[in-house]
Amino acid sequence: MGRQIARMLLARRSRYRNLYGVDVRLVAVCNSRAGLRKGAGIEEVDFASLVPGSTGPAFLVEAKPDVLIEAGPSDFETGSPGLAYLRTLLAMGCDGVVVSKGALVHSGPPLRRLAAATGARLRISGATAAALPTIDVLETGLLGCRVLGLEGVLNATTNYLLNAMMERGIGFPEALREAQAGGFAESEPSRDIEGWDTACKLLILANFGLDLDLGMKDVSVSGIGGVTLDDIGRWREEGTVPRLVGRIEFREDGPKAEVALRTYPLDDPFAHIAGKAKALRIHTDCMGEILTMGGGPEPTATASAALKDFELLLATPR
């Protein structure tokens, strides 16, 4: 993902220059083992020349970047490795574009407070269902109204699996094998199928989009691994369609967040989320029901979401 973002950023430099009058340079890149720092700017040909050991927050600090794009592995239990990068660079006042979910789930509210204290800006579209407009809608599209609740199909893999089972009447094990063979599911897909990826995205939307302060302990999480052929047959007879849904409801005793399998009748838009697409439905007090639906091929979709955030930073200079 990091390489895809870097390639696309370099390819769009003339756009940034023409639209915003900014010469964008990629001054440093690193992964967990190696990196490269080059004040005059890194080109794609340099990606093959990373220096072992040149990595870590201190390595990036020396590059004095204006924007950090964090797209490393994601561990919501520790926030690592992205959390250390974000804490260090945000403390310097460096803007952040975040793609991996771990640090945002683990320490989202503290990172927001840190950014506010230093004047850094934090953009997170790539971590919240990628190409699907989600956080953007909550942050700006619904200003002036109150969100009463939301529900989203936020994980493409589980949507693909459920669609395959419903459309062809196959069981979960067969659908998963096909998805893995086709590259539509990870070789170790537990975080997708058990609901944890959806829960991560739901938490980020809650804390960054709805100004809540929830942790994973506040989310009831279940997945789709227990779906049987009997379930598939019953849903087909009922004329309903299953979706793995992340949901937030505002109740008198506070917000309730859950990830669970839900079924929808055929006249509901959620019954028609094709393939690996995603969807978000937001219920408001005065703007009614807002629905976004769609998606694109990976890794281009997520990289594009990250560069959308980057472009928003360029469009609104401090």
Side-chain angles (χ1 to χ4, degrees):
M1 182 58 64
R3 284 178 180 261
Q4 180 70 13
I5 294 171
R7 290 189 190 102
M8 291 173 63
L9 182 145
L10 292 174
R12 295 181 182 186
R13 283 176 292 182
S14 61
R15 170 182 172 83
Y16 303 144
R17 188 179 303 110
N18 293 336
L19 284 180
Y20 309 111
V22 175
D23 286 315
V24 172
R25 284 177 295 155
L26 188 59
V27 295
V29 296
C30 69
N31 55 35
S32 61
R33 297 177 299 277
L36 184 65
R37 196 168 56 224
K38 202 174 190 181
I42 294 169
E43 300 294 337
E44 185 171 349
V45 68
D46 298 317
F47 296 171
S49 304
L50 302 187
V51 180
S54 295
T55 187
F59 169 77
L60 290 189
V61 167
E62 292 297 318
K64 298 181 175 61
D66 296 306
V67 179
L68 167 70
I69 301 179
E70 195 281 302
S74 191
D75 184 344
F76 70 83
E77 294 178 343
T78 66
S80 298
L83 184 56
Y85 286 94
L86 288 165
R87 281 175 173 164
T88 301
L89 275 295
L90 290 175
M92 295 170 50
C94 176
D95 293 332
V97 171
V98 186
V99 176
S100 61
K101 297 176 285 293
L104 300 179
V105 172
H106 182 275
S107 296
L111 288 173
R112 289 181 69 194
R113 292 191 289 270
L114 174 60
T118 63
R121 296 172 296 174
L122 199 55
R123 303 290 313 176
I124 60 170
S125 294
T128 52
L132 184 74
T134 54
I135 191 69
D136 321 64
V137 178
L138 292 170
E139 287 181 334
T140 59
L142 299 178
L143 289 177
C145 70
R146 182 164 59 94
V147 173
L148 304 176
L150 61 79
E151 57 183 341
V153 174
L154 304 174
N155 181 269
T157 298
T158 53
N159 199 55
Y160 176 91
L161 292 171
L162 290 170
N163 280 333
M165 287 186 276
M166 287 296 293
E167 291 167 6
R168 292 187 280 124
I170 61 176
F172 177 81
E174 183 181 353
L176 180 58
R177 284 194 299 271
E178 288 185 4
Q180 288 172 322
F184 306 127
E186 301 287 343
S187 57
E188 208 303 288
S190 59
R191 291 212 167 177
D192 291 328
I193 64 178
E194 292 173 7
W196 296 110
D197 178 73
T198 298
C200 286
K201 292 169 183 172
L202 188 69
L203 272 176
I204 296 169
L205 290 174
N207 292 336
F208 285 81
L210 301 175
D211 202 28
L212 300 177
D213 191 358
L214 302 181
M216 193 61 80
K217 62 179 174 53
D218 301 310
V219 186
S220 171
V221 182
S222 59
I224 67 169
V227 173
T228 67
L229 283 171
D230 287 340
D231 295 325
I232 298 298
R234 184 177 71 257
W235 293 328
R236 295 173 85 176
E237 288 180 5
E238 294 172 347
T240 59
V241 178
R243 301 291 179 213
L244 184 67
V245 174
R247 194 177 208 188
I248 296 175
E249 292 181 279
F250 288 96
R251 302 181 175 182
E252 290 186 2
D253 58 348
K256 178 184 178 182
E258 66 173 356
V259 175
L261 187 73
R262 304 179 65 85
T263 58
Y264 295 87
L266 294 178
D267 61 356
D268 190 297
F270 267 35
H272 303 282
I273 307 170
K276 295 177 64 180
K278 304 169 190 173
L280 178 69
R281 178 158 50 196
I282 306 170
H283 305 275
T284 74
D285 61 344
C286 57
M287 289 190 185
E289 180 181 288
I290 308 298
L291 176 69
T292 62
M293 186 184 299
E298 296 294 352
T300 304
T302 298
S304 295
L307 292 180
K308 173 191 68 179
D309 281 346
F310 178 67
E311 194 156 332
L312 285 170
L313 295 178
L314 296 181
T316 54
R318 287 192 271 175

